[in-house]
């Protein structure tokens, strides 16, 4: 079952912050976050494993609330290069490691 | 990590024809996955390809339309058969690392059916 991703789109000014949410009705083993620019393959950002682990990568961080089966991606002090479509990919517990992707969040960062 | 080489990167095909997409990985992997991304949409899993057994297809995808081969642990092909304009999409192969690690994607094949 496809995870629910929100918001569908967000427009920011450079330097502003954004949060993208991903929730599932299924028990998850992990949540993967990807960014995709137009015409390109998805680029891996980070993976969150069950256990409420929070990770960070430069100004991009994420959390995973195992109880709620929700993950959030935090973009702080956004840069123009952050523009793109963000997808969460969920891996269910006991699955064969295939991912089910959310519908995506289109992020536009303006100068 | 894994490096995936996917070919062709793009193609324009006539309706009714077939296209075979190749995916080569630089290391041995147990499972390979094929995804489709229709224009403006998310990625949808087509099938899981295991070496030595038939691929496992997701709901809405059938072997006659998307036959898959997996002759060894580093290579797989996906064929899009009897194409129609609705098959115009990006097709991506992916491999999973060890549990708890990222999934790796090829660069994708952008298919346009005219």
């Amino acid at each position: 079952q496809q995870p629910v991703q929100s918001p569908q789109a967000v427009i920011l000014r450079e330097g502003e912050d954004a949060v993208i949410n991903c929730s599932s009705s299924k028990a998850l083993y992990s949540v993967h976050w990807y960014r995709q620019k137009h015409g390109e393959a998805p680029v891996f950002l980070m993976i969150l494993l069950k256990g409420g682990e929070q990770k960070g990568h430069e100004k991009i961080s994420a959390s995973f609330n195992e109880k709620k089966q929700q993950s959030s991606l935090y973009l702080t002090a956004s840069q123009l290069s952050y523009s793109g479509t963000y997808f969460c990919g969920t891996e269910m517990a006991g699955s064969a490691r295939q991912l089910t992707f959310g519908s995506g969040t289109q992020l536009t960062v303006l100068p | 990590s894994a490096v995936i080489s996917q070919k062709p990167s793009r193609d324009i095909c006539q309706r009714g024809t077939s296209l075979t997409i190749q995916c080569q990985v630089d290391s041995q992997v147990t499972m390979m996955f094929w995804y489709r991304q229709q224009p403006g949409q998310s990625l949808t899993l087509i099938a899981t390809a295991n070496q030595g057994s038939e691929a496992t297809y997701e709901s809405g995808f059938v072997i006659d339309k998307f036959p898959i081969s997996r002759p060894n642990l580093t290579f797989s092909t996906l064929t899009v058969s009897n194409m129609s304009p609705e098959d115009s999409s990006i097709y991506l192969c992916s491999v999973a690392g060890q549990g708890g690690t990222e999934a790796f994607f090829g660069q994708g094949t952008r298919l346009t059916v005219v």
Side-chain angles (χ1 to χ4, degrees), chain B residues 13-76:
Chain B
C13 300
Q14 296 290 323
R15 67 176 66 200
T17 63
S18 298
L19 175 72
T20 296
I21 303 168
Q22 299 180 2
C23 182
Q24 178 75 52
V25 189
D26 68 343
S27 58
Q28 294 185 338
V29 293
T30 303
M31 288 177 290
M32 296 177 73
F33 308 99
W34 287 98
Y35 291 87
R36 180 178 73 181
Q37 187 175 28
Q38 295 177 300
Q41 302 297 313
S42 183
L43 288 78
T44 301
L45 181 66
I46 298 171
T48 301
N50 298 317
Q51 194 266 337
S53 63
E54 282 201 4
T56 302
Y57 289 83
E58 298 299 305
S59 176
F61 297 96
V62 294
I63 187 171
D64 290 345
K65 176 67 175 177
F66 298 101
I68 289 172
S69 77
R70 183 78 200 276
N72 56 53
L73 291 174
T74 64
F75 187 79
S76 178

Side-chain angles (χ1 to χ4, degrees), chain A:
Chain A
Q1 189 169 2
Q2 186 179 38
V4 177
Q5 203 173 323
S6 63
Q8 287 187 324
V10 58
I11 300 175
L12 302 172
R13 291 287 180 184
E14 204 171 3
E16 293 181 339
D17 302 339
V19 180
I20 301 172
N21 299 303
C22 176
S23 63
S24 173
S25 59
K26 303 288 186 178
L28 299 177
Y29 173 72
S30 68
V31 180
H32 303 225
W33 286 97
Y34 290 83
R35 177 172 59 213
Q36 185 178 34
K37 294 187 181 284
H38 183 70
E40 299 179 7
V43 173
F44 174 77
L45 294 175
M46 63 188 71
I47 180 173
L48 286 301
L49 303 180
K50 67 177 182 179
E53 181 180 1
Q54 182 156 355
K55 283 194 170 183
H57 177 69
E58 297 180 345
K59 296 178 181 177
I60 300 175
S61 62
S63 64
F64 178 27
N65 185 321
E66 184 184 352
K67 288 184 179 180
K68 295 183 178 181
Q69 302 303 321
Q70 291 178 349
S71 179
S72 296
L73 184 71
Y74 307 95
L75 306 169
T76 58
S78 59
Q79 307 169 10
L80 295 176
S81 62
Y82 287 3
S83 293
T85 301
Y86 289 77
F87 293 100
C88 65
T90 56
E91 179 184 359
M92 287 191 292
S95 74
R97 301 228 62 217
Q98 60 265 54
L99 298 178
T100 304
F101 286 88
S103 56
T105 296
Q106 187 169 347
L107 181 78
T108 303
V109 181
L110 302 175

